Structures are given as structure tokens and as C-alpha cells.
Amino acid sequence: MIILLLGLLLWWFAHLFGRLFPERRAAMGNAGRGVVALALLLSVVLMIWGYRVAEFVPIWEPPLWMIHVNNLLMVVALWTFGSSQSKGAKAWPASRIRHPQLTAVKIWALAHLLVNGDLAAIILFGGLLAWAVVEVIVINRSEPVWTPPPAAGTATYIRLAAITVVLLIVIGYIHIWLGHYPFPG
């Protein structure tokens, strides 16, 4: 669990560093981007490694039907994240909410908490859910004014739907490759 916790702590620190220590981050200049990117990459490696080697400590047994809820929430998370990716006009919900990517992380983390009842999963997904909540609070306090972007047209929605489906399939196959079948059997 120590490796997993170190990865989570590094993730939190790397993301919040610039907001908590703006002078120190500014002094790093453009080189700071590389340092932060390296820290984030290392944090992901530590979280994956720590999760994979963590002892399985069952906390609760998720019902099998929760797989359907998880998969539906994953579609929503992918759509929500993708809605912010177009330049200029944004698809819903990015045209209505300030933090679509962090909202997507919250949905993703909640979806995984619903289907994983072991301690390592609760620490990993709960820690990332808590990070996303804190990140939204910190951003909103430091930049209280937000102007919603214009709404996107039909072509953006069609592209977003296609990309969401493709990503869901790719992510599903990655889970299968890693030894976890994410679809109901």
C-alpha cells in the first residue's frame, strides 16, 4: 500500500504545486512544466504498480449488476471529458459546467468505487475522487470568475459520440489485457 499511497501523494502534490506555491512554480519557468510532467508520470507509474502489488483486503462485495452502472458511468465520464476538448464552442456539459475534465474524473472514480470493494481500490479511486473535489475548490477560489463557452454544433456531437464509443472499446480491451473483464458475462 505504501507505493500506492506515494503515487497518490505525488499526484496530489504535482497538480496542486503551482496553486499552493505560485512563486516557486513561476521561478521554475518553462522547465517547471517538464518537472511537473515527470512527477505526474512517476505518480501514475507508482499508483498502477502500487495497486497491482497491493494485498487484496476485501471491504465489501459489490453486486454483479453494479457492472452495468459502472459501464454507464464510464460512458458519461468519457463523454464529459471529451466535451471539453473541442476548440472554441463546447459540447454539453462543457458548455454548461466549469470543470468538465475534473467532473469526468469524479464520475470515473465513483464508477470504479462502485465495482471494487477492496481496500486498495478504495484508497486509489477514493483518493483520486477526493483530489478532483479539492482541485475544483482550489481553482474556484483562486479564479472565481468563469464565463461559459458557446455551445457546439451538431458535427461536434457526432465526433464526440464516435470518439466516446471508440474509447470505451479501447479501454475495455485494455482492462481485458490486464486480466479484468469489465463487461457483464
Side-chain angles (χ1 to χ4, degrees):
M1 286 300 170
I2 297 296
I3 297 168
L4 174 58
L5 289 169
L6 286 173
L8 270 171
L9 288 173
L10 184 56
W11 177 269
W12 275 65
F13 183 75
H15 274 95
L16 294 171
F17 177 71
R19 297 209 184 268
L20 297 176
F21 307 104
E23 298 84 20
R24 184 171 282 173
R25 173 58 187 91
M28 295 171 75
N30 283 337
R33 287 181 156 187
V35 171
V36 170
L38 187 61
L40 289 172
L41 178 63
L42 179 59
S43 72
V44 170
V45 168
L46 289 172
M47 285 187 285
I48 292 170
W49 178 27
Y51 182 72
R52 304 251 327 152
V53 301
E55 177 185 353
F56 184 82
V57 179
I59 304 297
W60 73 293
E61 182 67 33
L64 287 177
W65 57 266
M66 202 60 81
I67 294 171
H68 297 290
V69 175
N70 172 75
N71 290 343
L72 177 61
L73 287 173
M74 285 306 302
V75 171
V76 173
L78 290 170
W79 178 277
T80 302
F81 192 93
S83 71
S84 69
Q85 295 303 304
S86 62
K87 290 186 170 50
K90 305 290 183 193
W92 180 89
S95 61
R96 299 276 186 233
I97 62 174
R98 183 172 185 180
H99 306 287
Q101 292 179 359
L102 289 167
T103 300
V105 170
K106 292 179 210 175
I107 296 166
W108 168 84
L110 176 63
H112 284 75
L113 284 169
L114 293 175
V115 293
N116 294 286
D118 63 291
L119 183 59
I122 292 168
I123 289 171
L124 175 61
F125 301 117
L128 291 172
L129 175 60
W131 162 77
V133 169
V134 169
E135 189 78 28
V136 167
I137 292 168
V138 169
I139 292 170
N140 288 347
R141 284 191 179 159
S142 66
E143 302 167 17
V145 177
W146 177 70
T147 303
T154 305
T156 299
Y157 282 91
I158 292 169
R159 276 192 306 274
L160 181 56
I163 291 168
T164 298
V165 169
V166 168
L167 284 175
L168 187 66
I169 292 167
V170 169
I171 291 168
Y173 277 110
I174 289 171
H175 278 72
I176 292 168
W177 178 67
L178 290 172
H180 178 74
Y181 193 76
F183 305 108

